[in-house]
Amino acid sequence: MLKVGLTGGIGAGKSEVSRLLVACGAVLIDADRIAREVVAPGTPGLAAIVEAFGEDVLAEDGSLDRPKLGSIVFADPDKLAVLNSIVHPLVGARSRELEQAAAEDAVVVHDVPLLTENGLAPLYDLVVVVDASPETQLDRLVRLRGMTEEDARARMAAQATREKRREIADIVIDNDVPLEELQQRVRDVWDELKHRAHAPQE
């Protein structure tokens, strides 16, 4: 099994690359999706969040009111640390379950937005970074996601720098290109990942 960490700045096209890798045959473990699953209604994760932050963080239907919780924790580093101490272990445990269920010769791709920021590169056999110029990121966030330019710049500034991401990369996928070219680049990377997955272990 080859454990791959996949990351990239907001608007770089990481989701598209993960979709293309799955189409090639990768097993995808999506940290964001798991983070939502472990705090769904009825889960111990949601119960722990309510215990820590009160009933006010629940929406009317009993689900987690993410904007409300976000407004509480992002203004207070101590509260953010409490939230992370609840969610991160649950995400880690679920990710390991999914990984263990994969075939022995699988290429398991962990889609982790904050891989660089949280210093997680050592957890993987190799790290793939989806890279795009700040101009491309900004254009995609405003044009495709409907963000204001101010919001988009703020979100980009809150993440690790492009240089920091490239420093931890074993493979960089340049995504300042049309989709057809990206598809070919991802196929080339997939060939490399499969080769590494089947190479004899040192």
Side-chain angles (χ1 to χ4, degrees):
M1 181 184 294
L2 187 73
K3 292 190 286 187
V4 179
L6 176 70
T7 195
I10 187 169
K14 177 174 59 63
S15 299
E16 184 62 30
V17 168
S18 67
R19 189 183 68 73
L20 291 169
L21 285 169
V22 168
C24 289
V27 174
L28 180 66
I29 298 178
D30 183 334
D32 271 356
R33 186 179 303 159
I34 295 170
R36 289 191 290 275
E37 284 176 12
V38 299
V39 296
T43 58
L46 184 58
I49 287 174
V50 171
E51 190 174 327
F53 296 99
E55 301 272 344
D56 286 350
V57 298
L58 292 177
E60 284 183 14
D61 64 359
S63 64
L64 184 61
D65 185 335
R66 290 175 175 280
K68 182 70 180 286
L69 181 60
S71 68
I72 294 169
V73 300
F74 290 120
D76 186 330
D78 291 338
K79 288 181 177 170
L80 180 58
V82 170
L83 178 63
N84 288 341
S85 73
I86 295 169
V87 175
H88 286 179
L90 295 170
V91 172
R94 180 67 181 136
S95 297
R96 284 189 293 278
E97 278 177 20
L98 292 170
E99 193 176 271
Q100 285 159 6
E104 278 183 32
D105 64 345
V107 174
V108 179
V109 175
H110 290 261
D111 182 334
V112 186
L114 299 180
L115 189 152
T116 310
E117 292 82 346
N118 291 334
L120 302 177
L123 298 179
Y124 307 103
D125 297 318
L126 81 167
V127 172
V128 176
V129 169
V130 184
D131 185 60
S133 69
E135 295 77 19
T136 298
Q137 288 177 267
L138 188 62
D139 173 65
R140 288 177 181 153
L141 293 175
V142 172
R143 189 166 48 84
L144 303 177
R145 296 204 199 173
M147 289 187 186
T148 65
E149 185 172 332
E150 186 181 9
D151 279 353
R153 288 186 185 280
R155 291 286 295 275
M156 289 165 61
Q159 294 189 325
T161 63
R162 187 182 187 188
E163 292 70 31
K164 280 271 187 290
R165 277 192 295 272
R166 291 181 75 102
E167 274 172 26
I168 64 161
D170 297 291
I171 296 173
V172 175
I173 297 177
D174 173 15
N175 191 18
D176 279 321
V177 294
L179 183 58
E180 298 74 33
E181 201 170 325
L182 177 66
Q183 288 169 336
Q184 184 55 55
R185 289 181 182 190
V186 171
R187 280 195 292 271
D188 292 343
V189 168
W190 175 250
D191 289 342
E192 168 74 5
L193 297 178
K194 287 296 286 182
H195 174 73
R196 294 201 192 196
H198 294 127
Q201 297 302 307
E202 308 243 334

